[in-house]
Amino acid sequence: MQFKDIIGHKDIKEHLVHTVHENRVSHAQLFLGPEGSGSLALAYAYAQFLNCENKHATDSCGECPSCRKYSKLIHPDLHMSYPFIAKHKEDTAADYAESWRKSFLTNPYMGLEYWRNQLDADNKQVNINIAEAHGIIKKLSLKAFEAEYKVLIMWLPEYLDTQGNALLKLIEEPPEKTLFILVAENQDKILNTIISRTQLVKIKKLDHAEVAQYLKTTHQLSDQEASEIAFIADGNLQEALNQLSTQTNNHFGILVNWLRFIVSDAGTNMISLVEEDLSKMGRENQKSFLFYAISMMRQIILIKEGLSSLVFLPVKELDFVQKFAVHYTVEQIEATINLFEETHYFVERNANPKILFLDLSLQLTLIYKYKTFPKGTQYI
């Protein structure tokens, strides 16, 4: 993994490169960024650059023996730790190394749910157990095999729980030329004793334009398709890939027609759209559509609150939300978002889609046509 292969984050890349060139590599670092931002990929690229035998000014060479091993995640001085399902108390992350390599090399922007799917986790809990903590201590107490630095990359230390206390002394006083990189998404769930011993590197979510350009270049999407998915993903490349695998390319058209029928109380047309479009999408596409609809409603609220500068939409979507914002109140939009979120919840639990979306349509008709808001569980 080289820096040039990672989307965006120019300032972070420059910072990491400078720490190596200036010999200011902190022995314990916390890469903190939201899911799908590329924080895990940056950690790997940083480790590869650190141990590259022929460093370039801004990136690793990608060709030396160290880089070739790093690119396949088989370098003997690169250690990986991550949440997994422990079938026995002595299990460690190494028991899932092959699955991890395949998953990361396929999708370096992966989120926890993607990784759980590779493990066939179902409803089982993943964590980083005490056996893994002891294994880390043992591996890092050994001398480096061939690289200048031994590197441990731990993904989602939030799942370390109290077992992390076993690593405190090692993190605070590691062997010489040892680097810890903790890649996290939620700082509040990490042990404070660990946070206090690390140098924080904050990683922002990706820009919409960066995600859209990636989708157009890598997946040959049109401008419209890429913009729509980037808008839904909101800087999360893992979510963009999820959308790519399920999208119908017509969320905007369906949403506009649906809302037009709702606000005019066109019952026959509304029922037809529910039966022929919404109920036949399939569960994942229904979730995707609702996620898109929620995002559009949030953009409308931004416009109504005078924050148009924060709205980044293609021309057609922008024209729609600007016109919609003129005619309806914040109270109506907020009630709509709540109903969309409730419907998303029930879609995930396999509710009958025809009944679910028809009920939602009738509730929205009350809100927009008759300005009657739901109270409790009795809407009609």
Side-chain angles (χ1 to χ4, degrees):
M1 178 62 67
Q2 293 179 273
F3 287 125
K4 67 180 180 62
D5 299 320
I6 301 171
I7 303 169
H9 301 306
K10 180 181 177 182
D11 54 340
I12 297 294
K13 294 174 184 177
E14 291 176 351
H15 163 73
L16 295 174
V17 167
H18 287 157
T19 63
V20 176
H21 286 314
E22 297 172 7
N23 197 27
R24 293 188 294 105
V25 178
S26 176
H27 69 270
Q29 301 184 39
L30 173 62
F31 283 36
L32 182 64
E35 180 187 282
S37 62
S39 52
L40 180 60
L42 284 168
Y44 274 100
Y46 183 41
Q48 179 171 322
F49 180 72
L50 185 63
N51 280 321
C52 177
E53 299 168 12
N54 186 27
K55 296 180 183 65
H56 295 172
T58 60
D59 211 341
S60 54
C61 70
E63 298 175 354
C64 68
S66 176
C67 284
R68 288 199 296 270
K69 292 174 184 176
Y70 260 89
S71 67
K72 298 178 182 178
L73 305 190
I74 58 173
H75 197 290
D77 295 313
L78 171 65
H79 305 288
M80 300 164 288
S81 184
Y82 36 81
F84 59 93
I85 301 168
K87 299 176 182 177
H88 309 95
K89 65 179 182 180
E90 65 272 14
D91 287 353
T92 66
D95 296 313
Y96 297 88
E98 286 303 317
S99 295
W100 175 261
R101 290 189 188 99
K102 181 179 178 181
S103 299
F104 178 79
L105 293 175
T106 301
N107 178 14
Y109 295 87
M110 66 179 171
L112 179 62
E113 196 58 34
Y114 177 91
W115 171 234
R116 281 172 52 84
N117 289 337
Q118 312 312 306
L119 297 176
D120 296 323
D122 295 325
N123 293 322
K124 297 176 183 176
Q125 296 295 317
V126 296
N127 70 345
I128 301 175
N129 62 7
I130 190 64
E132 173 67 5
H134 290 161
I136 290 171
I137 294 171
K138 182 177 180 180
K139 285 186 286 190
L140 295 187
S141 65
L142 303 174
K143 291 184 178 180
F145 285 92
E146 56 187 66
E148 181 181 3
Y149 277 85
K150 288 178 294 182
V151 179
L152 171 77
I153 297 175
M154 177 179 285
W155 184 53
L156 299 182
E158 296 95 316
Y159 289 84
L160 192 58
D161 201 24
T162 55
Q163 288 87 343
N165 289 321
L167 298 174
L168 293 180
K169 182 173 178 59
L170 184 64
I171 293 175
E172 188 169 13
E173 299 177 6
E176 187 178 3
K177 298 290 185 178
T178 299
L179 172 62
F180 281 86
I181 306 179
L182 308 181
V183 182
E185 295 175 2
N186 190 335
Q187 183 174 345
D188 294 337
K189 293 184 178 180
I190 306 173
L191 293 172
N192 288 328
T193 48
I194 289 181
I195 294 175
S196 65
R197 289 166 169 79
T198 59
Q199 182 181 79
L200 180 62
V201 179
K202 284 191 175 181
I203 299 166
K204 298 179 181 178
K205 66 181 181 181
L206 295 168
D207 292 335
H208 288 199
E210 292 171 336
V211 175
Q213 185 59 47
Y214 168 83
L215 293 172
K216 288 189 288 185
T217 303
T218 307
H219 297 279
Q220 290 75 52
L221 297 189
S222 67
D223 289 345
Q224 174 64 29
E225 292 169 333
S227 295
E228 182 176 304
I229 292 178
F231 168 61
I232 297 172
D234 192 26
N236 182 342
L237 196 60
Q238 176 64 73
E239 180 58 34
L241 296 174
N242 293 344
Q243 295 294 325
L244 186 64
S245 66
T246 61
Q247 66 144 0
T248 62
N249 295 327
N250 195 30
H251 287 340
F252 176 65
I254 293 175
L255 178 64
V256 170
N257 287 333
W258 187 36
L259 290 175
R260 184 180 296 122
F261 299 148
I262 285 168
V263 300
S264 60
D265 194 9
T268 303
N269 291 330
M270 187 168 57
I271 292 172
S272 178
L273 185 143
V274 168
E275 291 181 344
E276 296 177 10
D277 293 314
L278 295 176
S279 67
K280 294 181 179 180
M281 279 183 177
R283 188 175 67 166
E284 292 305 315
N285 279 322
Q286 288 165 354
K287 289 163 59 179
S288 172
F289 172 76
L290 287 166
F291 195 7
Y292 174 76
I294 291 169
S295 299
M296 290 290 280
M297 291 296 157
R298 287 174 176 164
Q299 304 307 303
I300 293 170
I301 288 180
L302 288 176
I303 289 176
K304 292 193 71 65
E305 296 295 336
L307 300 172
S308 299
S309 61
L310 300 179
V311 177
F312 302 97
L313 291 173
V315 176
K316 287 184 179 180
E317 281 91 335
L318 181 60
D319 182 60
F320 166 74
V321 298
Q322 287 175 335
K323 291 179 178 177
F324 202 88
V326 171
H327 297 288
Y328 302 102
T329 67
V330 170
E331 186 181 14
Q332 288 172 308
I333 306 302
E334 288 179 342
T336 301
I337 291 174
N338 290 334
L339 288 174
F340 283 160
E341 289 176 341
E342 288 178 8
T343 303
H344 188 281
Y345 173 87
F346 289 116
V347 167
E348 284 190 320
R349 282 146 186 81
N350 293 315
N352 184 297
K354 187 179 295 186
I355 296 174
L356 190 63
F357 280 99
L358 182 56
D359 179 62
L360 173 61
S361 301
L362 295 174
Q363 292 181 55
L364 292 174
T365 300
L366 287 175
I367 291 173
Y368 288 102
K369 179 66 174 179
Y370 303 103
K371 297 181 175 58
T372 301
F373 294 87
K375 298 182 182 301
T377 57
Q378 185 63 43
Y379 303 120
I380 301 175

